[in-house]
Amino acid sequence: WGSSVVLFGTGPGDGPHGAALHRLAGRRTSTVWSGSAYLSSLTPSVAYLNAGAAGDRLVKVDLRTGRRTLIATVPLSPRVVPDATGRRLAGVAYRLDERSRLVLIELGKAVAVRSVPLDAPEQLGDVHWLPDGRLLFLPLGGDSARVLDRFLRTRARFRWTAGPGALVGSTVFGVDRSSRLVSAQLPAGPQRVVRRLPGGGGAQVIVSATR
């Protein structure tokens, strides 16, 4: 309930220099780790960072000890999301003027890195892990979502115009540019309008919660 909060930040500008992970607990602030990196993702126990000037060295930082472990060299600085086991990571690798790629990293005694090109250069998007271990890719600014297997083979596509979304069981929800809440049943949709939301503009973040 906010008893401990971890923050990631960098120095001035958009570069990786002056990066740090800070823990806030009560009135105390401590530095867990510092160095050069771009943020990839935070979990309750581990931070994944894209280290180095190119952001192509994926490292794991233990948020309890600050220990830094090199996981793999990866293409184009993906922002990775771990699955429920923590043994597989996936994300969208993006860099200006280059074809974006969906990257899958399997951790073990030997780290395996796979990637497939996306439909357009400079394409951004969200990646979600489905309960059965498949991947859902939701494009930002595109119109085609994908469900992929563990070998990054596309198993289904459907129209998706809502950008980032929230996964609830086997249904994905998002807000399109017309301020409509939309949903799609996985794996193949179609995208349907749930209701029009009040006010103008679109939602920036959509999340799900259980009470």
Side-chain angles (χ1 to χ4, degrees):
W1 306 117
S3 59
S4 179
V5 176
V6 174
L7 305 175
F8 173 85
T10 61
D14 296 328
H17 306 296
L21 289 161
H22 304 288
R23 182 185 299 281
L24 282 64
R27 295 180 177 274
R28 296 180 55 205
T29 302
S30 59
T31 300
V32 178
W33 170 91
S34 61
S36 296
Y38 300 92
L39 175 66
S40 183
S41 66
L42 285 170
T43 74
S45 60
V46 170
Y48 295 99
L49 307 175
N50 298 119
D56 59 354
R57 287 182 288 128
L58 184 65
V59 301
K60 177 176 70 174
V61 177
D62 186 312
L63 295 179
R64 182 177 59 86
T65 65
R67 181 182 178 186
R68 176 184 182 275
T69 305
L70 176 65
I71 295 176
T73 300
V74 292
L76 303 181
S77 310
R79 295 178 63 87
V80 296
V81 179
D83 69 359
T85 69
R87 294 193 292 268
R88 294 195 298 161
L89 312 168
V92 178
Y94 165 83
R95 188 180 293 165
L96 291 175
D97 302 321
E98 295 193 34
R99 187 100 175 255
S100 297
R101 303 185 72 86
L102 188 63
V103 179
L104 173 65
I105 303 164
E106 298 197 49
L107 308 179
K109 292 183 179 179
V111 176
V113 180
R114 298 187 181 93
S115 69
V116 293
L118 295 174
D119 295 334
E122 302 179 17
Q123 186 172 30
L124 294 173
D126 272 1
V127 173
H128 296 269
W129 287 98
L130 303 182
D132 61 6
R134 291 181 297 174
L135 283 166
L136 170 65
F137 169 67
L138 299 175
L140 180 64
D143 62 0
S144 181
R146 292 199 218 179
V147 174
L148 305 99
D149 64 18
R150 61 173 296 177
F151 300 104
L152 295 183
R153 295 176 297 203
T154 298
R155 294 305 188 186
R157 284 178 182 261
F158 58 92
R159 180 172 178 267
W160 184 255
T161 60
L167 184 62
V168 183
S170 60
T171 305
V172 61
F173 292 89
V175 179
D176 69 9
R177 289 181 288 273
S178 298
S179 294
R180 298 176 302 182
L181 180 68
V182 301
S183 70
Q185 191 72 25
L186 301 177
Q191 176 179 305
R192 301 181 185 277
V193 176
V194 178
R195 69 182 60 183
R196 181 173 293 278
L197 300 178
Q204 299 299 311
V205 177
I206 180 169
V207 299
S208 63
T210 301
R211 64 176 184 176

